[in-house]
Amino acid sequence: MQAIPSYDSAPPLDLPVRFFMAAWLWLLLLAGAWHGTADGSYPSPGLWLPLHLLALGVLGNVMLGALLQLLAVVSALGFPRPAIWRYGLWGSWQIGCVALFSAFAGGLDAFWLQLASLAFAVAGGMLAWLWWLLWRSPAQDSSSRGLRWALGFLLLTLGLGIAQLGVLGWGQPWPLLTLLPLHRLAAQGWVWLLLVAVAQVILPMFLLTPALPGWWQRWAAPGWGGLLLLAGALSLRWPDGGWWWLAALPLPLLALVWWRALRQGRRPQEWLPGYWRLALGLLLALCVAFVAGQWLDGAVLRRLQGWLLLGGVALTLCVGMLYRIVPFLLWLQLRRGVKPQQKVPSLQVLLPEARARRGWQLLCLWQLAGVLWCLWPALWWLPAISGSLLAAALLVHYRAAWLRWRQGTQPVVKAEVASG
Amino acid sequence: MSPRDLRGLVPPEPMEIILDAVDAATSGQRLSFVLPHFPGPLLPMLRDRMVRFDSEMLPDMSGVIFHVDIP
């Protein structure tokens, strides 16, 4: 059965937006986390702190907010009691982040590790419930199927992460060195499969590209998910076999599919394709880094792979998509509230195009800073400064959009009061 | 009358055009638009206006024709 996208069941505006705003706050705080990477050691708690701040605090929040919105709109999942998600998922996620980052910053203190494991267990429980709801949903479109896979890998990532917290914080005798690479692999699955599912909706809708090829829509998520699981299983059986390349196998295909779609976009002069082109360039660089990783081994290359995935492709697409989606959600909320003939501010008024272009420039600066840090970790202050500039710009831009949105609703309320 | 092609416009421009046209239309009128995909976000707002709508796929599958009937 094909589900019709339904905005009737969309969650209240503040549910996804609180995740997005938390993400930019974490991006600002990330500036204070880079100094521990100056010695270039890999892996190390000094590196885990900015890595998890970026992955959980920034990307995790954006992706969870986007996931809730997308599940409602694409897969017709209802959120009849949003407070459960507002406090249960959002709250436990932020507490987990605070506790985990405190643990990494404070020498793996057991209290913080235990608190993080409990908070993420609550978040994991809620996401497992969401996954169950999604399985029960009649939606069988390719995006919904992709979201099932992505959410499954998020649960796997969380489970493996909590197991590591069990070792470090609760003294459980589990094999940390086996759990760590599997956790990394599952996290890649969550990021890539979510991007694949989201792109299937976003590219045709906002970049006016043709629909992505049918074979890609049908097979990308199960194929890639299967490869990730296979890589994990083979690595468990033969730990020194270096099977991680299996998980990176679809990357060039992903780059090709996105590139072809972008070439056929109807509005190439718009600002949003610029974000996708940047992400595509970073994706190609990541492919090269993965190929090089088969012959060369070294901390620089591993840092580069991590950076290009998280700070590169994923963050670029998150920032770009939110510059489009947040004003669209604000506009939609305003448009629904007004009476016929009443005008609402346009997207351009809510969040001017110049700001999205400024965000892109700051993102380019962030990419340059990140690559330089990968090569020379002593330059940790470069991503710290460029990241805080980017975060400050994002917070200022979204605050201005929110203020404009509030102005837009006021005349309607006054008119209704007057007529009542 | 041939349907108005809105495929080259970025959301929410097509929605604004359709809603403005619906608000300006007279009773019994049928409005038709060509869109790149089914306009999910528009439906609650059309329901609020008590209008009926239906859609059909273009023969080359490059979009949908969306019809709105003003009661």
Side-chain angles (χ1 to χ4, degrees), chain A residues 213-228:
Chain A
W215 60 268
W216 176 260
Q217 294 200 36
R218 223 172 356 263
W219 294 110
W224 204 335
L227 282 173
L228 284 155

Side-chain angles (χ1 to χ4, degrees), chain A residues 252-327:
Chain A
L253 212 52
L254 175 71
L256 181 70
V257 168
W258 282 359
W259 175 71
R260 287 186 63 178
L262 285 174
R263 268 187 60 204
Q264 297 173 65
R266 285 166 173 262
R267 297 278 285 261
Q269 77 283 6
E270 251 225 327
W271 57 266
L272 188 54
Y275 280 90
W276 281 82
R277 282 192 285 269
L278 176 60
L280 205 52
L282 294 162
L283 179 56
L284 291 172
L286 182 60
C287 293
V288 173
F290 269 122
V291 172
Q294 294 307 305
W295 290 281
L296 304 170
D297 194 21
V300 172
L301 211 52
R302 290 188 185 191
R303 263 197 306 273
L304 202 56
Q305 289 170 354
W307 174 269
L308 288 169
L309 168 60
L310 299 174
V313 181
L315 188 69
T316 299
L317 292 180
C318 283
V319 172
M321 286 191 289
L322 289 200
Y323 266 124
R324 173 61 84 198
I325 289 169
V326 170

Side-chain angles (χ1 to χ4, degrees), chain A residues 330-350:
Chain A
L330 295 175
W331 180 89
L332 209 57
Q333 184 88 355
L334 284 176
R335 198 66 174 84
R336 278 186 194 168
V338 299
K339 295 168 182 169
Q341 307 300 342
Q342 281 184 311
K343 287 288 177 194
V344 296
S346 66
L347 255 61
Q348 176 65 15
V349 172
L350 286 168

Side-chain angles (χ1 to χ4, degrees), chain A residues 336-418:
Chain A
R336 278 186 194 168
V338 299
K339 295 168 182 169
Q341 307 300 342
Q342 281 184 311
K343 287 288 177 194
V344 296
S346 66
L347 255 61
Q348 176 65 15
V349 172
L350 286 168
L351 216 160
E353 184 179 325
R355 290 184 181 159
R357 291 189 189 277
R358 176 60 50 84
W360 184 84
Q361 290 165 347
L362 290 170
L363 202 53
C364 289
L365 188 67
W366 156 266
Q367 299 304 338
L368 182 66
V371 171
L372 289 172
W373 166 78
C374 291
L375 299 172
W376 299 288
L379 298 178
W380 59 268
W381 48 273
L382 279 176
I385 293 172
S386 61
S388 45
L389 283 175
L390 176 63
L394 288 165
L395 286 166
V396 168
H397 293 170
Y398 285 100
R399 185 176 178 275
W402 177 68
L403 289 174
R404 188 63 194 82
W405 172 76
R406 284 188 64 189
Q407 281 177 10
T409 58
Q410 281 164 356
V412 181
V413 174
K414 280 178 187 169
E416 281 171 1
V417 170

Side-chain angles (χ1 to χ4, degrees), chain A residues 29-377:
Chain A
L29 292 172
L30 176 62
W34 288 101
H35 64 278
T37 66
D39 62 359
S41 56
Y42 180 97
S44 70
L47 184 66
W48 290 342
L49 178 59
L51 176 75
H52 284 83
L53 246 162
L54 186 56
L56 293 173
V58 182
L59 296 173
N61 269 302
V62 173
M63 290 172 155
L64 285 177
L67 182 75
L68 294 178
Q69 183 70 28
L70 213 60
L71 285 175
V73 171
V74 175
S75 311
L77 243 63
F79 293 93
R81 296 167 80 177
I84 295 175
W85 302 96
R86 200 176 287 139
Y87 301 112
L89 183 58
W90 185 85
S92 63
W93 193 266
Q94 310 316 319
I95 291 170
C97 284
V98 168
L100 188 68
F101 306 152
S102 301
F104 287 145
L108 299 177
D109 182 86
F111 167 76
W112 290 117
L113 290 168
Q114 290 171 1
L115 181 61
S117 68
L118 294 173
F120 283 124
V122 172
M126 297 208 64
L127 289 166
W129 180 27
L130 199 62
W131 198 40
W132 183 71
L133 291 175
L134 186 56
W135 273 106
R136 284 185 58 216
S137 158
Q140 287 301 328
D141 59 288
S142 57
S143 291
S144 297
R145 288 199 304 268
L147 289 173
R148 285 188 187 113
W149 278 93
L151 197 46
F153 275 99
L154 174 59
L155 289 172
L156 208 52
T157 310
L158 275 176
L160 290 161
I162 292 167
Q164 290 173 82
L165 292 173
V167 177
L168 297 170
W170 299 92
Q172 293 297 320
W174 299 326
L176 192 64
L177 292 179
T178 305
L179 293 169
L180 182 64
L182 291 175
H183 172 67
R184 207 165 46 205
L185 194 67
Q188 284 182 42
W190 153 241
V191 173
W192 287 124
L193 294 179
L194 185 70
L195 290 179
V196 164
V198 170
Q200 282 171 198
V201 179
I202 294 291
L203 281 171
M205 188 167 174
F206 287 110
L207 285 95
L208 303 179
T209 70
L212 298 183
W215 60 268
W216 176 260
Q217 294 200 36
R218 223 172 356 263
W219 294 110
W224 204 335
L227 282 173
L228 284 155
L229 293 175
L230 183 65
L234 290 171
S235 302
L236 278 176
R237 180 69 182 85
W238 294 286
D240 299 324
W243 301 103
W244 313 114
W245 60 271
L246 275 171
L249 215 53
L251 284 177
L253 212 52
L254 175 71
L256 181 70
V257 168
W258 282 359
W259 175 71
R260 287 186 63 178
L262 285 174
R263 268 187 60 204
Q264 297 173 65
R266 285 166 173 262
R267 297 278 285 261
Q269 77 283 6
E270 251 225 327
W271 57 266
L272 188 54
Y275 280 90
W276 281 82
R277 282 192 285 269
L278 176 60
L280 205 52
L282 294 162
L283 179 56
L284 291 172
L286 182 60
C287 293
V288 173
F290 269 122
V291 172
Q294 294 307 305
W295 290 281
L296 304 170
D297 194 21
V300 172
L301 211 52
R302 290 188 185 191
R303 263 197 306 273
L304 202 56
Q305 289 170 354
W307 174 269
L308 288 169
L309 168 60
L310 299 174
V313 181
L315 188 69
T316 299
L317 292 180
C318 283
V319 172
M321 286 191 289
L322 289 200
Y323 266 124
R324 173 61 84 198
I325 289 169
V326 170
F328 180 66
L329 292 177
L330 295 175
W331 180 89
L332 209 57
Q333 184 88 355
L334 284 176
R335 198 66 174 84
R336 278 186 194 168
V338 299
K339 295 168 182 169
Q341 307 300 342
Q342 281 184 311
K343 287 288 177 194
V344 296
S346 66
L347 255 61
Q348 176 65 15
V349 172
L350 286 168
L351 216 160
E353 184 179 325
R355 290 184 181 159
R357 291 189 189 277
R358 176 60 50 84
W360 184 84
Q361 290 165 347
L362 290 170
L363 202 53
C364 289
L365 188 67
W366 156 266
Q367 299 304 338
L368 182 66
V371 171
L372 289 172
W373 166 78
C374 291
L375 299 172
W376 299 288

